[in-house]
Amino acid sequence: MTTRTLHIAVLAGLAAVSFQAAEASTLTLRFENDVFYKSDREYTSGQGFTWTDDANTDPWATHLAQWLPMYPQGADVRASYSLDQAIFTPRDTAAVNPPLTQRPYAGWLYTTLGIDSETQSRLSQYSMDIGVVGPWALGEQAQNFVHSLRGFDLANGWHYQLHNEPGIVLSDQQSWRFWLSDPASKIGIDIIPHAGGVIGNVYDYLDAGGVVRVGRLTKDWTPARIAPSTPGTNIADDWGAYVFAGVEGRAVGRNIFLDGNSFESSRSVDKYPFVAEGELGAAVTLWHVRFAYTHVFLSREYTTQGPFHQYGTISVTARL
């Protein structure tokens, strides 16, 4: 073997190893908006991305997961890293000074470090969000930039948004999978109940619910959305297609986007202590890329809100 041939072989080998190492890592892009239903209010938009490492490739995550409560023995452990932005507005976005009976303007820009511990029948998810609420979250700039591009009216009341406040949120979510059909069948049915809780100065709540999936099922646990939401994962299988429906109930202690700032006076509304959410969706995975759409129904969150809210979520997850 000549030196040139050896160099080519080494480079090809390194490229193959790099491709294989990255192949099982995934990148998820997501976009949430109520524009799908011709509204522009409440939780009006969210966007972000998540990078999820291959299973058991982060020793720090594996060691930490084993110390966390309810760790499923023998689980595959994945670390994930996210950046998300969520935007909230009152119903009357044309008003320079929105009515006090409507929720305040607010943006929430944050990063998330997550650890998922997964077996075939159990999923334990722990995460920590760190970010900022207020003008530094760039909600006004993001919303009005998109509106100007699409020729929509600008939202005029951002002067009255929540004040800058650092935010931290810790989350613990547990899910279980139960097969209602033979797992080896081409068309399968499973049910995934879940329960968990969140604590922090942005959100405090306890949640419980479940999702039913029907179709050519993949090893994921339905597509992940921007929280608060039913749990999901940011991994993609080889191929599959399924529809799903889910419900979740939340007992809410704190929601900064309704209660207002923690440490100084700001606009606020009287929230309901219990919130219900429903979702309908479909996911298709082809060549290690999952495309998913979810329609979300959210019950009234505060006493002067008006009708229930709904929005849509598009996500694309690719193994790279």
Side-chain angles (χ1 to χ4, degrees), residues 266-287:
S266 68
R267 293 197 172 196
S268 64
V269 291
D270 294 327
K271 72 175 184 300
Y272 285 120
F274 299 100
V275 176
E277 177 184 291
E279 65 175 14
L280 298 171
V284 177
T285 304
L286 299 170
W287 301 293

Side-chain angles (χ1 to χ4, degrees), residues 6-28:
L6 179 61
H7 286 169
I8 293 174
V10 170
L11 290 174
L14 289 174
V17 169
S18 298
F19 177 79
Q20 291 172 0
E23 185 182 39
S25 298
T26 59
L27 175 66
T28 296

Side-chain angles (χ1 to χ4, degrees), residues 125-142:
Q125 296 177 291
Y126 302 91
S127 65
M128 178 175 63
D129 304 337
I130 297 177
V132 64
V133 173
W136 290 349
L138 304 177
E140 176 182 8
Q141 292 83 346

